[in-house]
Amino acid sequence: MPDFLSPELQAFRDRIDQLATGTLVGLRDDASLEPAERAARVRDASKAAGVYGLTQDERTPALTLLVARDTLASHGVGHLRGVFGADPGVLAGVPEPLRSTHLQPLLAGEKRPGFAFTEPSDVERPTWARIEGDELVITGRKSYVTGGADAAFLAALVEIEGQGPAMVIIDTDRPGVTQERRFSSLDGSHHVGFQFEDVRVPRHHALGAPGDGRGRAMAKISAVRRAVAADCAGSSAWIVSLVAADLLRQGRRGRKADSERMRLRYGEMRVAVYAARSVVYRTARLFDAGQDAVNESISAKVFASETANRIADMAIQLVGGEALVVGHPLEAVMRRLRSLRLAEGESDTLYVNVARGHLDIGKGRL
């Protein structure tokens, strides 16, 4: 754990540690539990420990969230369903009636949201809306909406004619909303593509001032990038601990740890994890200090996710073929981490964004 945590954060970290080792690891490893029952028990334990609501409170500092995510992931339980409650996302601070109709049911777990930002590559025009009286009439398509099959509403980036981009709340049961594709990805998550054909929503479903939709979307995306970075940093530490246990185990031919080659690779892994966690913690502190940390959030996400994947691959090489057996911890974490290199922007695109941020508008720091 990085130094310079306040006594309060150290005590908070210890509480998260106890939640992970005392309850969540056991729930993760209990093969008799159905996914829904496991998620319910995880949620109850997280609420009792005061963790579940951290993501729902807009005042929770980025560093506090990082300590929670990093600590949980370092025990291999940060990805469990039910650990964190749904965050307000782009609905943060919305006035009535959206506060009552969408935000409060979201926070209570009564309505599930979807974030519809990405268009399919073959669209001729991004999703748009025309204004007709007190309604927006929306047409277009969105792809890769994670969890969209169960979403009661979507927060979608829509180009409103004459006003610019806006985040618009679209209830999925409205006429003209159809799911055109359902699919699963390598990590087991589920996604949906949506089509909108003259979907009518009230104009007050457009969030914020005209034209600020992309800024709202990017703020949410930056927060998710920091969450991904924290998960990857903690997961990397967990993988290193698994490898250490394997290296120190006494086998028929002695300990792997006595091999200079094994020590070389293990040392390389520890150095990489140290660097990744340092980047992630610095980024959280910059954000909490009120700095413009968009490019730093990108950098932390890219570096931590690329590092985690490299660490997982090296770990499998050191442990051997058993690590590729379905159900082995390293097999499972490799599948999950691979998807995070694409989450909220694939790495090559984000490298270009960081370069553009500095060369074109002078943003970002080293």
Side-chain angles (χ1 to χ4, degrees), residues 218 225 294-295 298 348-364:
M218 293 311 300
R225 285 171 179 159
V294 171
N295 283 272
I298 292 174
D348 283 357
T349 297
L350 295 183
Y351 281 129
V352 173
N353 288 349
V354 168
R356 182 185 299 120
H358 182 70
L359 297 175
D360 295 352
I361 56 178
K363 297 292 186 179

Side-chain angles (χ1 to χ4, degrees), residues 125-141 156-164 166 168-170 174-177 195-206:
R125 179 182 181 183
T127 301
W128 77 96
R130 65 182 186 273
I131 299 174
E132 291 188 3
D134 291 331
E135 292 183 317
L136 299 175
V137 185
I138 302 168
T139 299
R141 295 164 64 201
L157 184 65
V158 177
E159 186 74 24
I160 300 178
E161 293 179 338
Q163 292 191 358
V168 179
I169 300 302
I170 305 173
R174 285 189 174 270
V177 178
Q195 184 169 359
F196 310 116
E197 292 275 359
D198 290 335
V199 179
R200 294 179 175 272
V201 304
R203 285 184 67 176
H204 69 256
H205 277 215

Side-chain angles (χ1 to χ4, degrees), residues 94-162:
V94 294
E96 296 291 356
L98 284 176
R99 180 175 181 81
S100 293
T101 59
H102 290 78
L103 176 58
Q104 290 178 345
L106 163 68
L107 297 180
E110 298 165 0
K111 285 187 177 182
R112 296 190 64 176
F115 185 61
F117 182 80
T118 306
E119 258 91 17
S121 58
D122 60 346
V123 297
E124 297 181 359
R125 179 182 181 183
T127 301
W128 77 96
R130 65 182 186 273
I131 299 174
E132 291 188 3
D134 291 331
E135 292 183 317
L136 299 175
V137 185
I138 302 168
T139 299
R141 295 164 64 201
K142 294 291 184 181
S143 66
Y144 234 103
V145 181
T146 302
D150 301 318
F153 64 89
L154 306 175
L157 184 65
V158 177
E159 186 74 24
I160 300 178
E161 293 179 338

Side-chain angles (χ1 to χ4, degrees), residues 1-6 10 13 63 274 281 285:
M1 177 65 65
D3 294 334
F4 310 120
L5 292 181
S6 67
Q10 291 180 41
R13 177 198 62 202
L63 185 57
Y274 177 79
Y281 271 79
R285 287 187 167 99

Side-chain angles (χ1 to χ4, degrees), residues 31-44:
S32 69
L33 295 175
E34 293 295 326
E37 183 182 0
R38 178 181 290 109
R41 293 193 185 185
V42 168
R43 182 170 57 250
D44 290 344

Side-chain angles (χ1 to χ4, degrees), residues 64 237 296:
T64 300
E296 289 70 28

